Amino acid sequence: MKNKRTYYIVGFLIFALIVYLLFFRKKKPEDLKVGDTSIVTGPNNIPTVFKCKRSIQTSKNEQGIEVVKPEEFPLMFGDCGKVIETVQKRLIAKGKNIKADGKFGRQTENALNEIYKSTGRAETGKYTFNQFANNVI
């Protein structure tokens, strides 16, 4: 009977480790890949599952400067990566209470829409290349 109990305990620990690795381990924005899932804070601080649909990363040009390809835009819900983190930092600088975690979830979408609404623009929840290049939020 003791052996069976040991198997249950080991099995539970392995299960707990898998859940941690899939959902709770913090990844750097540049490490996020398509299909990655994690738990994020959604509207009204309710935990929700976020799944990365598109990874948007920077690359270095000939001069060694980090750049983003225009064809990666518009940025929208479900995108993840270092570029999303940059947009989130710009939103935080504008006074929005969100995390710069590199995941374009509901909080990022809502923060963008709030700024669009306050400036009289359409609330699309998307972020275009021109807005990014000109540091417009």
Side-chain angles (χ1 to χ4, degrees):
M1 198 47 118
K2 194 173 188 178
N3 256 352
K4 200 173 193 181
R5 186 171 148 201
T6 303
Y7 285 123
Y8 285 132
I9 292 171
V10 170
F12 174 77
L13 291 175
I14 290 171
F15 173 76
L17 178 63
I18 290 169
V19 168
Y20 168 76
L21 291 174
L22 286 176
F23 295 110
F24 296 103
R25 185 177 56 135
K26 303 285 184 207
K27 285 188 171 185
K28 295 179 195 168
E30 55 269 18
D31 295 335
L32 294 169
K33 296 177 182 63
V34 173
D36 283 353
T37 57
S38 59
I39 303 294
V40 297
T41 304
N44 302 321
N45 293 323
I46 298 171
T48 57
V49 176
F50 175 85
K51 184 172 184 177
C52 181
K53 297 176 185 171
R54 201 168 57 130
S55 181
I56 313 293
Q57 304 296 343
T58 57
S59 56
K60 293 197 177 188
N61 66 9
E62 300 84 36
Q63 292 84 25
I65 299 170
E66 287 195 3
V67 295
V68 184
K69 298 175 185 168
E71 56 268 16
E72 300 283 4
F73 289 80
L75 305 177
M76 63 188 89
F77 181 82
D79 290 346
C80 61
K82 193 168 184 172
V83 177
I84 305 302
E85 180 188 37
T86 301
V87 172
Q88 289 169 330
K89 286 179 180 177
R90 291 178 182 180
L91 288 166
I92 291 167
K94 293 281 187 180
K96 297 302 170 189
N97 186 21
I98 62 171
K99 291 181 186 175
D101 58 4
K103 301 169 189 165
F104 198 129
R106 290 286 172 226
Q107 285 191 333
T108 303
E109 184 178 53
N110 291 342
L112 266 179
N113 282 334
E114 286 174 18
I115 288 180
Y116 290 165
K117 186 177 182 179
S118 69
T119 57
R121 288 182 273 171
E123 298 175 46
T124 62
K126 295 181 181 179
Y127 194 65
T128 67
F129 178 74
N130 287 336
Q131 291 169 315
F132 184 81
N134 297 314
N135 198 12
V136 174
I137 298 244

Coordinates of all heavy atoms in Angstrom, one line a residue, residues 31 37 55 115 117:
D31 N 11.2 35.7 -25.6 CA 11.2 34.2 -25.6 C 9.8 33.7 -25.9 O 9.6 32.5 -26.1 CB 11.6 33.6 -24.2 CG 13.1 33.9 -23.9 OD1 13.9 34.1 -24.9 OD2 13.4 34.0 -22.7
T37 N 1.1 29.4 -23.9 CA -0.1 29.8 -23.1 C 0.4 30.2 -21.7 O 1.4 29.7 -21.2 CB -1.1 28.6 -23.0 OG1 -0.5 27.5 -22.4 CG2 -1.7 28.3 -24.3
S55 N 4.0 35.9 -32.8 CA 5.1 36.4 -32.1 C 5.8 37.5 -32.9 O 6.2 37.3 -34.0 CB 6.2 35.3 -31.8 OG 7.3 35.8 -31.1
I115 N -7.3 55.3 -24.8 CA -6.5 56.4 -25.4 C -7.1 56.8 -26.7 O -7.2 58.0 -27.0 CB -5.0 56.0 -25.5 CG1 -4.4 56.0 -24.1 CG2 -4.3 57.0 -26.4 CD1 -3.0 55.6 -24.0
K117 N -10.2 56.6 -27.6 CA -11.5 57.3 -27.3 C -11.2 58.7 -26.8 O -11.9 59.6 -27.3 CB -12.2 56.5 -26.3 CG -13.6 57.0 -26.0 CD -14.3 56.1 -25.0 CE -15.8 56.6 -24.8 NZ -16.5 55.7 -23.8

